[in-house]
Amino acid sequence: MSDNVVHLHKNPDPASVTTLTVVPEPVPAKPVPLWIRSGRAVRTAVTHDVTKTTARAMARHTLFVAGGAKIAAKRTWDGGTASRYERVIRAAEAAGNHELAAEWEERGQHFRRERHQRRMDLITSPVDAAKGVAVGAGMSVGSLIALGVVMAVATKDASDVLTPLMATVDFINLLITIVQVVWGPAITLGPFIALLALWAIGKHQQAAPAWTLPDNIRNGEGEPITPSIVVKALRDLGVAPLRTAIKDMGDAGAGMLGPIRIAGCGVEVDVTLPSGVSTIEVQKRRRKLAENLTRHEHEVFITIPQAARTVRLWVADSGALDEPIGPSPLVTDDTLKADYAKGRAPWGQDLRGDAAALSVYQRHLLITGLSNQGKTAALRALALWVALDRSVEFWVGDLKGVGDWAMFEGLATRFIQGPTDDHVIQVTMMLEDAVEEMNRRLMAPPGTQFPALIVNVDEAQVAFMCPLKDEEGRFYGGSKATSRYFMAARKLHNQGRAVNVLLWQGTQDPTDQNLPKLVREGAHTRASLALGTESQSRMALGDKAVNGGAAPHLLRPGLDKGTLVIASDGIKVPAGQSSITVRTHYVSTEEAHVIAGRAKALRDGVTTLTVIERGEERDPLADILAALGDAPRVRTKDVLKRLATLNEKAYGGWSFLDLKRVLDDAGAEPHKSDGVMVVSRDRVAQALANRDGDGSASADG
């Protein structure tokens, strides 16, 4: 039994045994030795963030001095030797620029000749200097004595002969005294001033190891773009010929770079690639280049300037593109007016921070992008600016129908709003009426000036995808010669600009089905928000812009809302580039109503037509037969003229394709006679009789 348990036996019954447990006193813990506690405290102090930051700062500023001394020594060496010329020559040869290499070779030879002449002059300079000092001293003493003689004659005191000479001696003695006083402190402070100068050079060039730099710079956040960083990023890009060429260059690749210029919220630099390296090899590695520059992909833009074998890099300051830009001048300036012909719409800012203004004069417009990226807001901002010119007339078709364009009711003379097929029919009729207005203007005498008519269709992809047919079997949507919306858009694109009848369209998620090739290529100004693929970017902006560096498919959906890549001659594009990236001003719906109110106040009052009605229905086949008259056959172009004379409103906008469509459907196809296309009267009459006979039989049945 344990020593701590005591049994008290009052009777032999085991059940009555009382057990007393004695709990021992706790044993006091042994004290931690002093040396262990001290070691823990030291480890905590050494590993503390403040300690590490302080140590890095001390090492960084100390190494700035060493780095500055190295840079100063290299600069001194370069200044006294031809090494800088040799580096440029080797870089030019590696880049295949032999003319530049020859030019710098000549400069190097000139430098060597001048250096040799300076060294030869040093050999004879001590003798020449001694002679010069002796002659100068003699002339100076003689001049002073002569001056003293003049003074003595003037004062009639012979002692004044030496007065100028003694004054000069006293002045020299004063200078010696000043030097004696200043020399001691100068000798003491001189080394410190020299160290401070070396530290300033090293700090400016960040001449310290990476581990000594602050955390934000070591992690790449806010790291400045320097020539060495750009060259290293290009070297590590994974292009073997580029890496080899940089390695072989005497200047380690610095000769490839132009000046690094501040450009808005970032910097810009032109890079001349060495022979054997294509610009496309750099363009397609944009993400890797951005990561090498310690930036995100969306913060680096690569474009192709005019110079051959050159890429232009624009690198944003870290996080700068996530900051919003200021409000639109449409919102901040109540007195702002528009001029359709000569003015430019304040649309936003380019990446350099400069104002981006667009001319809309006689330019068809197309804006596309993924859903909910700011397409309607960007298109509406342009329309609101133009609306401040009271001479401009608007026809608006909003096929989204949620009120984004509601402020144009009472401002636009025609306003269709809604997403249904019926609304598509109304918008299609609106475009066809615009074609008729265009044709009317084209028939006016040459030189006639017309006010602008802008037909604005938002969510135009709804029209192109409409499956309905009209009574004659023609689709409202689609991209065939019988597709009504498509053909109206094509006619406006072909001739509308000349008479100021313009078509502006906004679409989303472009494909060949919802944005036909002929329509998208008919726009003079093409702009795109974020897209999903490069092929969509080519649909939106064209091959030339994408080949030149335009990349709306690399914009970030949701994060880059309102950022447009624009290909147009109506906006100032940097020389050599085919597109420009613009961050547009956002104008809210409430602000848009206020701006539209100002535009309405400029007008006497506009009656808005919200439903388009057609006049009498025409029978095209019967009208063609009437236009043929009694002639057995008539040339197609003459038939078109006769139809226009018969009913200008119905047939004034017809082309050969419209005529051929009606005749083909009726089985009276045009044919060639004597080398020209003609319409046969017998065929048309037979087709009309067959159609009427079929219709009577159907009615009787």
Side-chain angles (χ1 to χ4, degrees), residues 414 426 429-430 432-433 436 471-472 484 609 611-620 623 647-651:
R414 298 196 181 189
Q426 293 290 311
M429 292 179 177
M430 182 176 73
E432 291 172 340
D433 286 347
E436 292 184 10
E471 297 83 356
E472 299 177 5
R484 292 179 60 176
L609 177 65
V611 177
I612 300 173
E613 297 180 355
R614 286 299 189 201
E616 62 172 311
E617 292 293 333
R618 306 292 305 185
D619 185 343
D623 287 342
N647 192 305
E648 170 64 26
K649 186 174 182 181
Y651 303 117

Side-chain angles (χ1 to χ4, degrees), residues 280 283 302-304 528 531 533-553 565 567 578-579:
I280 192 65
Q283 278 187 297
I302 306 172
T303 54
I304 309 298
S528 177
L531 288 172
T533 63
E534 181 179 331
S535 63
Q536 287 186 315
S537 296
R538 293 184 181 275
M539 291 180 191
L541 301 177
D543 290 336
K544 180 181 178 181
V546 175
N547 291 339
H553 55 285
V565 183
S578 55
S579 65

Side-chain angles (χ1 to χ4, degrees), residues 2 16 78 81 121 131-132 149 223 270 309 332 346 433 454 485 515 524 555 609 618 637 652:
S2 172
S16 63
D78 287 345
T81 66
D121 291 341
K131 290 180 181 179
V149 171
E223 184 175 2
D270 286 352
R309 215 171 59 245
T332 59
D433 286 347
I454 297 178
Y485 182 92
L515 186 58
H524 303 97
L555 295 174
L609 177 65
R618 306 292 305 185
K637 69 176 185 178

Side-chain angles (χ1 to χ4, degrees), residues 340 363-366 379 383 386 392-398 405 408 412-416 426-438 441 451-458 460 485 488-489 492-493 496 500-506 612:
Y340 161 76
R363 290 178 176 89
H364 300 297
L365 174 71
L366 172 66
L379 183 60
V386 181
V392 178
E393 181 180 2
F394 271 98
W395 295 0
V396 175
D398 175 16
W405 294 86
F408 276 80
T413 51
R414 298 196 181 189
F415 183 73
I416 310 300
Q426 293 290 311
V427 169
T428 302
M429 292 179 177
M430 182 176 73
L431 258 67
E432 291 172 340
D433 286 347
V435 172
E436 292 184 10
E437 172 63 17
M438 175 190 73
R441 295 183 178 191
L453 169 60
I454 297 178
V455 183
N456 190 345
V457 181
D458 195 13
Y485 182 92
L492 291 175
H493 280 166
N500 281 330
V501 179
L502 304 180
L503 177 60
W504 289 7
Q505 296 182 100
I612 300 173

Side-chain angles (χ1 to χ4, degrees), residues 230-299:
V230 176
V231 172
K232 185 176 182 297
L234 293 169
R235 184 195 68 193
D236 299 337
L237 203 54
V239 181
L242 180 58
R243 183 181 184 89
T244 302
I246 292 175
K247 183 178 179 181
D248 293 340
M249 291 179 185
D251 60 352
M256 298 190 307
L257 306 183
I260 296 180
R261 305 175 295 273
I262 296 177
C265 57
V267 296
E268 185 178 72
V269 60
D270 286 352
V271 181
T272 302
L273 301 176
S275 179
V277 181
S278 170
T279 55
I280 192 65
E281 294 183 85
V282 177
Q283 278 187 297
K284 67 184 182 181
R285 290 174 171 83
R286 177 186 176 190
R287 175 175 293 181
K288 189 170 185 179
L289 178 61
E291 292 171 351
N292 290 348
L293 293 169
T294 63
R295 295 294 191 273
H296 297 291
E297 184 178 14
H298 71 277
E299 294 176 327

